[in-house]
Amino acid sequence: MRTRLCGSLRVEDVGAAVTLCGWVAKRRDHGEHLAFVDLRDHTGIVQCVVPGTVDVRSEYVIAVEGVVRPRPDGTANAELPTGEVEVGECVVTVLNPAEPPPFAVADRVEVDEVVRLKHRFVDLRRPSMQANLRLRATVNRALRAAMDRQGFVEVETPLLWAPTPEGAREFTVPSRLSPGACYVLPQSPQLAKQLLMVAGVDRYFQIARCLRDEDLRADRQFEFSQLDLEASFAGQEDVLEFVSEAVLDAAEAVTGVRPTDIPRMTWAEALDRYGTDKPDLRFGMELIDLTAVFEGTGVKAFGAASVKAIVLQDGAGLSRSRLDGITDRAKQLGAKGLAWFRVTADPGTGGDDPALALDSPLDRFLSDQERAGLLSATGASAGDLVLVVADEYRLACTVLGQLRVELGGRPVGEGPYRYVWVVDFPMFDGFDEAGNPVPAHHPFTMPHPEDLDRLESDPASVRSQAYDLVLNGWELGSGSVRIHRADIQSRVFSVLGIGEEEAQARFGFLLGAFRFGAPPHAGFAVGLDRLVAIFAGEDNIREVIAFPKTQSGADPMTGAPKPLAPGVLAGLGLQLIPSKG
RNA sequence: GGACCUGUGGUGCAGUUUGGAGUGCACGCCGGCCUGUCAAGCCGGAGGUCGCGGGUUCAAAUCCCGUCAGGUCCGCCA
């Protein structure tokens, strides 16, 4: 039907008779003797010249027969890769007329996202969306090739799984053959891939769909994709190597440059320096500890376990209302309050190196020693803004870590790419209502061997063999060495407050399988949507998903979710409870 | 469950603070003109439940209450 693609034509093709197919991007009609039609396909746009009139409109699907020729002197278009040439003497065949699109198919046009999603098939014609889809395919291809090369075998795992409450809310699928019973859609293939290790698959991977019925965010959809992997007779070092290889291959496939090896940082260091377990290493602005400076202080607000600060360079000019807004944000993040200090040059001292002074409601409560200590510890200069949070250590860190990202010099758009492995996560993350520790990763995570003897006596201090991959402040994925021995597993369950009976009820099939020869194994999962979004320079994963949902979980195109047709529920043995109100 | 922001012809916006006739801009659409344009140009035209409901008022896009939708975030996401 076609002999060439629109975006491929160059000066070398001059003289070639071509047939092109695509959509009308633009028609410029110059009367009965001349018309230009910009023809678009997935490869780009080329100008077609019709020696007469042509009855086409935007987004008509047409075929064009013509001859490639150089453009007349002075009419080349530097904006188009095909701009040196045009297709002349064109004969246009309308393959399918089209109604005017609800919005213009062009990257520069901003359109409400609901309108875009409702007409996603039009939205995806836009060059940037085409590029995102193809970028995603490139990443998938590179990841698959890397896993294949490293001896991993791709295995598909079930979408209809058994309810195994693990943390995230699951989507439920009622069974027709067993009325009243349900499958659930897997929040990840975690248990299936561990069973594949018991099954002797040795090295498994899958580009897996995962489904979680939790509230949506810019970086979270109900359904998302992971490069999921698991390896037998492998530990943390092996897994980090496998994943690095795959991710760096993908980066190279996309950018043409292979990043250097990925540095590592312990979880404790990430929290202390960046206030998060997913540090964005593209800029500094690290957290500064002022606890020693305010030891025994008379400033009531700083009488806390930990006092930490960040310096916003040239931030002293921020308005009072802006500072109030930042304070509100700190409170929203859980802080009791936020102290700010504008650093100014002391007008009383002159010369090349004037003394520094602080402008803050709290300044008059500071001792001279505290004032000097704050300035020297932060290294702030005139014109800077110092933000201080005094609280429990972890909260002070996380609040400032979040403000660092929101206020700091975080680069936008593509590159540079700063990867980091965050290792030595804590085994547990706080305590639940019953006083039991909550697993930071999942209950099959192997404790750090050096900390194993404190599992029962001091669980909060126990590190795990869990690790995250972070890129530019996004959590790209996480993994762990799994427990493969029954004795350690039962100790962990016991610490978690999961009794033998409950463990059997929830994970019995896995524990049962482990009795038949489970190899030591470890694994990981890389969030594909996030990886592709970062490579695409998008700050929202919806931009790299063909048909995403809105934040309330709706699809404006299909109308999902929708009530079921009458009779369908009954056929499943289900009945609706009238909603209140 | 909660906070904040947004909602005005097909698209993007201004108008809302300080109530006074659906007033305006750009793009698109329809018709006409035009032989080198490329965000073509010129002339003319059509197109509106100001998200929805209620209230205040002589009068509401504008003020108040509620509600719906979207976005960002908190909670949630082992």
Side-chain angles (χ1 to χ4, degrees), chain A residues 206-217:
Chain A
Q206 179 181 197
I207 292 184
R209 314 302 303 278
C210 305
L211 299 110
R212 295 179 189 175
D213 189 5
E214 297 289 351
D215 286 3
L216 285 59
R217 287 283 195 281

Side-chain angles (χ1 to χ4, degrees), chain A residues 112-121 542 547-561:
Chain A
D112 186 277
E113 201 175 345
V114 178
V115 179
R116 291 177 57 201
L117 290 179
K118 186 165 184 180
H119 305 274
R120 191 61 157 179
F121 38 84
R542 290 191 300 270
F547 300 104
K549 307 277 189 293
T550 67
Q551 191 161 33
S552 62
D555 177 359
M557 185 175 66
T558 63

Side-chain angles (χ1 to χ4, degrees), chain A residues 84-225:
Chain A
E84 297 278 311
V85 299
E86 61 189 15
V87 182
E89 302 301 315
C90 289
V91 176
V92 172
T93 307
V94 174
L95 302 175
N96 208 352
E99 292 178 23
F103 50 89
V105 181
D107 285 339
R108 66 192 141 73
V109 180
E110 294 230 353
V111 185
D112 186 277
E113 201 175 345
V114 178
V115 179
R116 291 177 57 201
L117 290 179
K118 186 165 184 180
H119 305 274
R120 191 61 157 179
F121 38 84
V122 173
D123 189 43
L124 291 176
R125 276 182 212 158
R126 297 156 56 149
S128 62
M129 296 304 285
Q130 286 283 318
N132 286 354
L133 290 179
R134 286 158 208 282
L135 176 74
R136 188 172 180 133
T138 299
V139 170
N140 277 5
R141 192 184 320 121
L143 294 175
R144 274 210 168 89
M147 298 315 290
D148 184 58
R149 193 178 66 238
Q150 298 182 100
F152 284 75
V153 55
E154 186 167 6
V155 180
E156 290 163 284
T157 54
L159 280 179
L160 297 175
W161 194 247
T164 52
E166 291 160 35
R169 205 174 287 118
E170 296 162 324
F171 283 98
T172 304
V173 181
S175 163
R176 174 181 57 86
L177 295 178
S178 304
C182 289
Y183 305 92
V184 302
L185 303 176
Q187 47 187 293
S188 82
Q190 180 62 38
L191 300 178
K193 69 178 176 180
Q194 292 193 242
L195 290 169
L196 288 174
M197 295 302 100
V198 182
V201 168
D202 198 69
R203 290 180 182 179
Y204 142 92
F205 88 99
Q206 179 181 197
I207 292 184
R209 314 302 303 278
C210 305
L211 299 110
R212 295 179 189 175
D213 189 5
E214 297 289 351
D215 286 3
L216 285 59
R217 287 283 195 281
D219 61 350
R220 281 166 27 193
Q221 285 270 308
F222 282 154
E223 37 187 324
F224 58 98
S225 299

Side-chain angles (χ1 to χ4, degrees), chain A residues 383-460:
Chain A
D384 292 348
L385 179 72
V386 179
L387 300 175
V388 180
V389 171
D391 218 304
E392 181 197 333
Y393 171 73
R394 191 154 166 186
L395 192 67
C397 290
T398 55
V399 169
L400 284 171
Q402 189 61 38
L403 293 179
R404 167 183 177 270
V405 170
E406 292 173 14
L407 303 173
R410 182 171 51 143
V412 291
E414 297 177 36
Y417 304 108
R418 292 294 302 272
Y419 302 82
V420 59
W421 286 111
V422 178
V423 300
D424 292 350
F425 270 65
M427 185 81 183
F428 306 106
D429 189 9
F431 298 86
D432 65 17
E433 305 83 23
N436 294 314
V438 179
H441 192 53
H442 58 57
F444 315 112
T445 304
M446 183 78 93
H448 198 291
E450 292 170 14
D451 301 347
L452 195 52
D453 55 357
R454 294 197 308 277
L455 188 59
E456 289 81 7
S457 58
D458 186 12

Side-chain angles (χ1 to χ4, degrees), chain A residues 242-482:
Chain A
F242 293 141
V243 176
S244 294
E245 191 70 8
V247 169
L248 296 183
D249 269 16
E252 184 174 10
V254 166
T255 65
V257 180
R258 188 177 181 83
T260 55
D261 284 345
I262 300 174
R264 293 188 200 183
M265 183 180 292
T266 66
W267 177 88
E269 183 182 1
L271 181 68
D272 196 58
R273 291 174 58 192
Y274 298 98
T276 176
D277 55 11
K278 43 181 181 178
D280 189 339
L281 300 187
R282 290 174 299 170
F283 65 107
M285 207 172 150
E286 294 185 21
L287 275 54
I288 296 152
D289 200 304
L290 297 179
T291 310
V293 173
F294 291 102
E295 177 101 48
T297 183
V299 184
K300 219 173 173 182
F302 290 168
S306 182
V307 183
K308 301 209 75 163
I310 53 175
V311 178
L312 184 58
Q313 273 186 16
D314 302 318
L318 292 187
S319 69
R320 187 59 190 263
S321 65
R322 180 86 178 95
L323 292 170
D324 288 345
I326 296 170
T327 303
D328 287 345
R329 176 62 175 155
K331 287 177 179 169
Q332 186 190 24
L333 293 167
K336 285 189 278 294
L338 175 77
W340 51 264
F341 297 89
R342 293 182 176 123
V343 182
T344 60
D346 189 338
T349 63
D352 294 338
D353 190 20
L356 296 175
L358 296 175
D359 169 18
S360 167
L362 282 180
D363 181 57
R364 64 194 177 95
F365 299 113
L366 299 191
S367 68
D368 287 345
Q369 198 180 352
E370 287 169 343
R371 203 171 286 121
L374 184 149
L375 282 167
S376 90
T378 59
S381 336
D384 292 348
L385 179 72
V386 179
L387 300 175
V388 180
V389 171
D391 218 304
E392 181 197 333
Y393 171 73
R394 191 154 166 186
L395 192 67
C397 290
T398 55
V399 169
L400 284 171
Q402 189 61 38
L403 293 179
R404 167 183 177 270
V405 170
E406 292 173 14
L407 303 173
R410 182 171 51 143
V412 291
E414 297 177 36
Y417 304 108
R418 292 294 302 272
Y419 302 82
V420 59
W421 286 111
V422 178
V423 300
D424 292 350
F425 270 65
M427 185 81 183
F428 306 106
D429 189 9
F431 298 86
D432 65 17
E433 305 83 23
N436 294 314
V438 179
H441 192 53
H442 58 57
F444 315 112
T445 304
M446 183 78 93
H448 198 291
E450 292 170 14
D451 301 347
L452 195 52
D453 55 357
R454 294 197 308 277
L455 188 59
E456 289 81 7
S457 58
D458 186 12
S461 76
V462 174
R463 292 166 296 167
S464 68
Q465 296 187 63
Y467 30 84
D468 273 12
L469 178 60
V470 175
L471 171 56
N472 292 1
W474 292 47
E475 181 195 318
L476 268 194
S478 56
S480 63
V481 177
R482 326 298 184 187

